[in-house]
Amino acid sequence: ETGVTQTPRHLVMGMTNKKSLKCEQHLGHNAMYWYKQSAKKPLELMFVYNFKEQTENNSVPSRFSPECPNSSHLFLHLHTLQPEDSALYLCASSLAAGPVYFGPGTRLTVL
Amino acid sequence: SQQGEEDPQALSIQEGENATMNCSYKTSINNLQWYRQNSGRGLVHLILIRSNEREKHSGRLRVTLDTSKKSSSLLITASRAADTASYFCATDPRGSGTYKYIFGTGTRLKVLA
């Protein structure tokens, strides 16, 4: 238990669906992240928020839409995804440039 | 291009042996971190070493950093079956912007009982 929770843990969706991933941390961290992990690929940084302001968008397609209402919560809104978007989506947080704490991830399958 | 690349990609050893994994990176960094990931789960932070440090220990883990060679190594001593996991290095490139941690592809370690 790292202090970062993610829901749901598993998600199956069709290409026309809209769904959201949720992440929560109560560690008092200021930075929150979304990473994508696909098989045989390095972990890909998607978005970074610092004190709920987006500081990084790593050329992520607009079908992924992040939302950070406060420093403790982070969402990833999904719509019209493609099968190649199937992956493990990891949320993480950190205090300044310290260790990054990861959630357990959401295993997403797009049919 | 990859900022952090681990070597080897896979490693299989007997319980009790030592395991060494290496990480190379391309640009100057503020710090380097090592993580462990059990199959299909989130990453767990192991050690953070800053650019002005050369060696760090935590239990059975020893991390070294050579900024002149842009490389780091993770040594796990007296390995156990429970150490079976993937290990990743992550770098915080200097001047890349705030909190832009870049991960490598990882080393898959298998410890045989």
Side-chain angles (χ1 to χ4, degrees):
Chain A
E1 180 62 51
T2 61
V4 180
T5 58
Q6 288 187 245
T7 54
R9 295 291 306 275
H10 300 271
L11 178 62
V12 180
M13 59 187 288
M15 289 191 284
T16 58
N17 291 158
K18 288 185 180 181
K19 296 286 183 184
S20 295
L21 309 185
K22 180 182 176 183
C23 175
E24 192 170 343
Q25 59 92 5
H26 294 290
L27 300 169
H29 290 171
N30 59 288
M32 295 192 78
Y33 313 77
W34 280 115
Y35 280 89
K36 175 185 178 183
Q37 187 176 36
S38 306
K40 298 182 181 178
K41 282 183 154 185
L43 218 60
E44 297 173 54
L45 178 63
M46 300 175 71
F47 302 103
V48 182
Y49 280 81
N50 182 21
F51 288 112
K52 76 178 185 177
E53 297 298 322
Q54 188 179 118
T55 58
E56 184 75 25
N57 177 339
N58 200 21
S59 303
V60 180
S62 60
R63 57 186 184 269
F64 295 91
S65 174
E67 179 189 358
C68 189
N70 54 60
S71 294
S72 300
H73 295 85
L74 185 64
F75 296 88
L76 188 63
H77 304 300
L78 316 171
H79 64 98
T80 59
L81 294 191
Q82 305 298 311
E84 60 265 27
D85 296 322
S86 298
L88 183 68
Y89 288 84
L90 293 161
C91 174
S93 70
S94 72
L95 182 63
V100 181
Y101 291 77
F102 283 82
T106 294
R107 174 68 62 185
L108 173 67
T109 302
V110 181
L111 302 176
Chain B
S1 62
Q2 287 307 310
Q3 170 67 341
E5 301 220 13
E6 293 87 348
D7 167 62
Q9 290 187 352
L11 181 60
S12 186
I13 59 173
Q14 295 291 325
E15 205 166 28
E17 293 180 339
N18 296 340
T20 300
M21 288 158 268
N22 303 296
C23 170
S24 59
Y25 56 91
K26 294 182 171 63
T27 64
S28 296
I29 59 172
N30 294 312
N31 66 61
L32 184 145
Q33 305 183 42
W34 283 93
Y35 290 81
R36 183 186 76 233
Q37 184 181 33
N38 291 90
S39 181
R41 306 184 73 172
L43 280 73
V44 174
H45 179 262
L46 297 175
I47 286 187
L48 181 152
I49 186 165
R50 302 198 183 282
S51 60
N52 61 352
E53 298 176 307
R54 291 296 167 259
E55 189 170 312
K56 226 169 172 181
H57 297 257
S58 176
R60 294 183 294 113
L61 307 180
R62 174 179 167 247
V63 167
T64 61
L65 179 64
D66 187 334
T67 52
S68 66
K69 293 182 180 177
K70 292 188 171 58
S71 68
S72 173
S73 68
L74 170 67
L75 169 67
I76 304 174
T77 59
S79 63
R80 305 167 182 166
D83 295 327
T84 295
S86 291
Y87 292 82
F88 297 86
C89 68
T91 53
D92 173 21
R94 193 168 293 167
S96 68
T98 308
Y99 317 141
K100 190 174 178 178
Y101 294 103
I102 308 298
F103 285 76
T105 49
T107 292
R108 293 187 311 281
L109 173 66
K110 188 169 185 178
V111 181
L112 304 168

